[in-house]
Amino acid sequence: MDHFQLRNGELYAEDVPMARIAEQYGTPVYIYSRATLERHARVFREALQPLGKIHLAFAVKSNPNLAVLRVMQREGFGADVVSGGELARAMAAGMPAEDIVFSGVGKTAREMMQGLDAGIGQFNIESEEEGVELARIADAAGRTAHCALRVNPDIDAGTHEKISTGKSDNKFGVPIDQAVAMYMRLAELPGLDMRGFAVHIGSQLSDLKPLELAFEKVGAIVSQVRSHGGTVTHVDLGGGLGVPYKAGEKLPSPADYGHMVARVTKGWDVTLMFEPGRVIAGNAGVLLTEVIRVKRNSNRTPFVVVDAAMNDLARPALYGAWHDFDAVKPTGEKMTANIVGPICETGDTFAMERNIDALEAGDLAVFRTAGAYGATMASSYNSRGFVAEVMVDGDKVASVADRILPEDIYAAERVPEWLD
Ligand SMILES: *Cc1c(COP(=O)(O)O)cnc(C)c1O
């Protein structure tokens, strides 16, 4: 459920008419709903609360906006970060360091030091080489790195190949059949406190079965480590729960997920950690855009050219992803159209042959479910600048990321004097 609904025939973000947001902030603009973020955070927490000791870490990469992170922090979420930049953001948003988990296959020595200096709660190590390096750095600095070893369970998550992370040919985690021996070796190293395992098999999962199989495999290695005299106090089950991108689509709910986790992890006696991103932020944001013109070629499907483009919302170009597209003031009439942005690439296409609300130049419309992996993937391609972001809270609206203009971007560029 979200708070982007029709009222008297026009779309509102909570209690704010979207047309007013367009007027005030221009388009394209991302709109986040605080109430929706909070609702999703609470539904997720309630689904997992019965599990006992849990730690919730919002996947910052899904939406790193400081205001969004602050909402999550107020909801008691920590952060799952995948770079030094995300770590700095999470801290800037007020997240306690001990609630931060650092994931990623390519943590640099500098990023490891940054995490150690901050005193983050956990590093999710993705290779033995990484563990050895982290141990050396932590030991030299007189610090202890609390760690989980990320395993690759070799399971097909059944999602888009570009967001699948749990197959043996993906770069993530260590092969699960080597995980126990590796864990025992790493546990011997000074500077490391090996405390458990982590697993994350992919994103936008529409079926719980692959997750269940992955968690069962993790449960087996937890037992094996313990039978070898090792200690396991934490298991990080990652994120990955999918969201409906199409109105009416049915996906496993957080409650379904919670029941499955409870069943599989019964008797593990660990703190269970979760790293949800999309399921919290996805439907808490929309991308508001204005139709520049409708281009009609005789006998062909018309092109609705909008002022948002693949640089603002990359998912359709990147993954062929679907975003529902609705007029802000629907008339009831429909049209079949191709929805495209202004960028000079055929890939700058949001939808082909889509049945949509009838639109004309100057009309406003939204791409729905754009709160996760939306603005954060933006680029300035075609010198379009960086898209603006606002948040609504009841009848309040505020800019949470100002539009960055092309001239602001090229102000950082230099023409060397030897070109004069
Ligand atoms: C991306 C990512 C997540 C979040 O995935 P969602 O599908 O957005 O829930 C969680 N953990 C790790 C390690 C990730 O890379």
Side-chain angles (χ1 to χ4, degrees):
M1 212 218 74
D2 64 58
H3 290 80
F4 304 107
Q5 306 289 339
L6 281 172
R7 283 189 198 172
N8 308 320
E10 72 171 298
L11 272 177
Y12 274 63
E14 300 194 17
D15 301 329
V16 184
M18 289 198 191
R20 207 175 87 206
I21 295 175
E23 213 170 279
Q24 199 171 345
Y25 298 95
T27 54
V29 60
Y30 279 89
I31 308 172
Y32 307 129
S33 154
R34 177 182 180 178
T36 310
L37 281 168
E38 289 178 346
R39 186 188 138 76
H40 292 171
R42 288 169 196 175
V43 166
F44 194 80
R45 179 185 293 286
E46 276 160 27
L48 298 169
Q49 205 92 65
L51 295 168
K53 284 180 292 181
I54 59 168
H55 179 266
L56 303 177
F58 177 63
V60 171
K61 79 173 189 285
S62 68
N63 190 326
N65 183 277
L66 289 180
V68 170
L69 297 184
R70 177 60 63 86
V71 171
M72 297 312 294
Q73 182 261 325
R74 292 173 64 111
E75 287 298 314
F77 278 59
D80 172 58
V81 303
V82 294
S83 71
E86 286 193 353
L87 172 55
R89 270 177 182 278
M91 306 272 296
M95 286 180 169
E98 64 267 25
D99 291 344
I100 297 176
V101 178
F102 200 152
S103 301
V105 293
K107 297 177 206 77
T108 62
R110 181 196 288 264
E111 287 173 320
M112 291 176 180
M113 202 57 234
Q114 186 185 344
L116 289 167
D117 276 340
I120 64 166
Q122 182 170 300
F123 289 88
N124 285 353
I125 296 174
E126 303 228 9
S127 64
E128 184 156 20
E129 294 86 344
E130 182 192 341
V132 168
E133 184 174 355
L134 179 58
R136 188 173 46 71
I137 291 171
D139 190 42
R143 293 210 158 76
T144 301
H146 307 288
C147 297
L149 183 60
R150 178 168 176 182
V151 297
N152 184 319
D154 193 20
I155 281 172
D156 185 351
T159 187
H160 191 281
E161 62 172 68
K162 287 187 182 165
I163 48 175
S164 200
T165 57
K167 283 287 288 170
S168 59
D169 50 358
N170 297 141
K171 67 182 174 181
F172 299 98
V174 304
I176 194 150
D177 54 349
Q178 297 166 30
V180 173
M182 199 182 291
Y183 186 90
M184 300 306 287
R185 287 195 296 274
L186 290 169
E188 296 295 313
L189 299 180
L192 294 194
D193 161 37
M194 293 306 296
R195 64 181 201 177
F197 290 100
V199 67
H200 172 75
I201 62 170
S203 196
Q204 185 54 17
L205 307 188
S206 53
D207 180 3
L208 294 178
K209 200 69 206 168
L211 282 171
E212 180 164 356
L213 291 173
F215 298 168
E216 280 169 356
K217 288 192 176 194
V218 173
I221 59 171
V222 169
S223 306
Q224 285 175 44
V225 164
R226 286 176 173 159
S227 69
H228 285 79
T231 303
V232 176
T233 56
H234 291 71
V235 175
D236 184 339
L237 297 178
L241 211 50
V243 297
Y245 277 92
K246 291 182 187 174
E249 202 178 353
K250 276 296 278 178
L251 274 114
S253 67
D256 298 334
Y257 176 74
H259 291 136
M260 180 275 282
V261 173
R263 189 169 68 244
V264 179
T265 63
K266 200 160 185 287
W268 284 15
D269 190 26
V270 294
T271 297
L272 289 173
M273 304 170 69
F274 299 90
E275 304 169 343
R278 192 187 306 270
V279 73
I280 305 288
N283 276 307
V286 298
L287 174 59
L288 178 62
T289 186
E290 183 177 312
V291 177
I292 298 173
R293 68 179 57 84
V294 180
K295 176 178 169 181
R296 297 176 205 277
N297 301 341
S298 59
N299 301 332
R300 293 272 170 76
T301 305
F303 290 97
V304 170
V305 187
V306 297
D307 68 358
M310 64 189 278
N311 73 302
D312 305 307
L313 176 62
R315 298 186 66 260
L318 208 52
Y319 315 130
W322 176 290
H323 286 267
D324 274 352
F325 183 73
D326 296 314
V328 167
K329 294 182 181 170
T331 59
E333 277 179 50
K334 293 282 181 181
M335 71 192 288
T336 298
N338 303 323
I339 310 163
V340 299
I343 282 184
C344 296
E345 293 234 11
T346 299
D348 187 22
T349 298
F350 293 106
M352 293 294 283
E353 301 288 332
R354 185 83 74 87
N355 189 245
I356 58 171
D357 296 322
L359 290 165
E360 284 303 334
D363 288 347
L364 295 170
V366 292
F367 292 101
R368 290 185 180 266
T369 319
Y373 307 102
T376 184
M377 285 191 179
S379 77
S380 66
Y381 188 39
N382 274 213
S383 291
R384 287 170 44 84
F386 279 96
V387 64
E389 300 163 74
V390 303
M391 184 179 285
V392 294
D393 176 11
D395 60 1
K396 294 195 290 286
V397 52
S399 168
V400 294
D402 295 340
R403 193 178 304 283
I404 300 179
L405 302 172
E407 43 272 43
D408 298 329
I409 295 170
Y410 70 67
E413 297 173 20
R414 302 282 172 259
V415 178
E417 61 186 17
W418 39 259
L419 279 178
D420 281 346

